[in-house]
Amino acid sequence: MTQHAAARHDNAIRLTDSGLETWLVFDCGLDLPHFAAFPLLETTAGRAQLTDYWQRHIAIALRHRLDFILGAPTWRANADWGAKLGYDAAALDRVNREAIAFMQALRDAHQTTTSLMPVQGSIGPRFDAYHPDTVMSADEAEAYHRPQIASFVAAGADGATAMTVTHSSEAIGIVRAARAAGLPIGISFTTETDGRLPGGEALGEAIMAVDAATGSAATGFMINCAHPDHFSAALDAGEAWTRRITGLRANASRKSHAELDNASELDPGDAEELAGLYRDLRAKHPGLTLLGGCCGTDDGHIAAICQACV
């Protein structure tokens, strides 16, 4: 499927998945070293668990006749995190390609004419999103993320999304690398409880910096891994940059990143309340068309969000 075909419902709600890693850890009881889900692709049991997860979400999209974005479990499949897990460059290239192929097989098994399912690679930050103590330059980020993007292209991905990005400079490098490879790319920033990126930048400043440095090459921006209460005030001003935000993958919990990082139990929040906050945000910002979840959410949250917003 081409990216053009996948975008035929530009003005309609599209769904994506929820908090994969927290679901695997807290609901399934799995040990995920470094919060990496991609090693599950290496075993039959792991693939079965991933299939179960996505089928739960796909069923919601099919029921409501909505498009569904299939994002590969590759958030940690980059050089530094891969090395911690015993993956060298060749192994990472292999597993990134296999992740896209895995999602393409799910697409082929479930896609319908009324629920298109584009496959995207997921890109994570080089450093810890909860403790972004090191900042790369845009040039460093472009070079660092280029190999994973090349793997996505070789595997035939429809696009990619960089998730939980903490600095505009890393986002700029990712967009440049994707643009050079001809891969459509979206950027999803995370915020702290004050609505600012973990590195201290205001959300609007970061979005405008990325667009200015890349000729607005990103397909759009998202916010993920933060509760709506943390960032909604930043969107209320209604400035032009807010129209570049096209998606939302919020946390179920109002806790800060530091609190979540140290939590021993899952905080699933209130799915109905979260869904209502999504509905309120969409009323103010109708360009928010891609809806999913992040930490603490599961298919139940996505079903509630879908019910509230469709």
Side-chain angles (χ1 to χ4, degrees):
M1 178 197 304
T2 66
Q3 182 73 9
H4 175 74
R8 64 176 181 145
H9 298 317
D10 277 344
N11 296 322
I13 287 176
R14 300 163 295 153
L15 296 181
T16 191
D17 64 301
S18 54
L20 170 62
E21 290 82 6
T22 52
W23 181 78
L24 290 168
V25 171
F26 292 101
D27 288 79
C28 301
L30 297 187
D31 178 28
L32 289 186
H34 303 293
F35 226 44
F38 73 87
L40 294 178
L41 293 164
E42 306 282 26
T43 68
T44 300
R47 285 176 174 252
Q49 208 126 32
L50 292 172
T51 298
D52 176 43
Y53 169 81
W54 266 288
Q55 285 180 336
R56 293 166 180 250
H57 293 79
I58 288 170
I60 299 168
L62 292 174
R63 187 160 61 246
H64 291 275
R65 298 164 66 91
L66 298 175
D67 289 356
F68 186 84
I69 309 301
L70 285 162
T74 52
W75 180 65
R76 284 295 203 215
N78 59 47
D80 286 10
W81 294 103
K84 295 176 188 290
L85 294 159
Y87 286 76
D88 61 14
L92 283 172
D93 176 53
R94 173 186 58 79
V95 78
N96 274 294
R97 293 186 191 218
E98 289 180 358
I100 297 299
F102 176 79
M103 305 309 290
Q104 289 167 336
L106 281 172
R107 175 201 64 197
D108 294 344
H110 298 287
Q111 180 174 255
T112 69
T113 56
T114 56
S115 292
L116 299 179
M117 299 180 187
V119 172
Q120 295 190 352
S122 298
I123 298 170
R126 180 177 185 178
F127 303 109
D128 192 331
Y130 286 177
H131 304 286
D133 300 322
T134 305
V135 179
M136 286 189 292
S137 70
D139 288 345
E140 289 172 329
E142 182 178 358
Y144 179 80
H145 290 287
R146 187 182 295 123
Q148 188 179 31
I149 288 169
S151 298
F152 294 156
V153 172
D158 295 306
T161 300
M163 306 287 291
T164 329
V165 181
T166 62
H167 301 90
S168 60
S169 56
E170 185 166 19
I172 291 167
I174 292 170
V175 173
R176 287 177 176 171
R179 181 178 60 186
L183 186 70
I185 183 78
I187 297 294
S188 187
F189 286 118
T190 187
T191 75
E192 295 291 353
T193 56
D194 61 359
R196 289 179 171 268
L197 274 60
E201 293 174 279
L203 179 61
E205 291 174 357
I207 289 173
M208 290 188 289
V210 175
D211 273 350
T214 62
S216 300
T219 57
F221 292 85
M222 294 175 59
I223 303 170
N224 83 292
C225 208
H227 190 274
D229 282 1
H230 299 167
F231 58 79
S232 57
L235 305 183
D236 283 345
E239 297 178 20
W241 62 265
T242 63
R243 293 194 291 274
R244 289 287 281 145
I245 300 179
T246 58
L248 178 59
R249 297 188 63 161
N251 285 349
S253 173
R254 287 182 167 85
K255 291 180 179 179
S256 68
H257 285 156
E259 291 171 319
L260 290 173
D261 202 22
N262 293 315
S264 59
E265 296 182 357
L266 182 69
D267 180 2
D270 184 317
E272 299 298 331
E273 179 190 41
L274 184 65
L277 294 173
Y278 271 59
R279 182 184 58 238
D280 294 344
L281 281 167
R282 271 189 45 79
K284 296 178 181 178
H285 307 282
L288 283 171
T289 59
L290 178 57
L291 307 180
C294 204
C295 297
T297 64
D298 58 20
D299 54 295
H301 292 78
I302 300 302
I305 290 166
C306 190
Q307 190 65 37
C309 294
V310 171

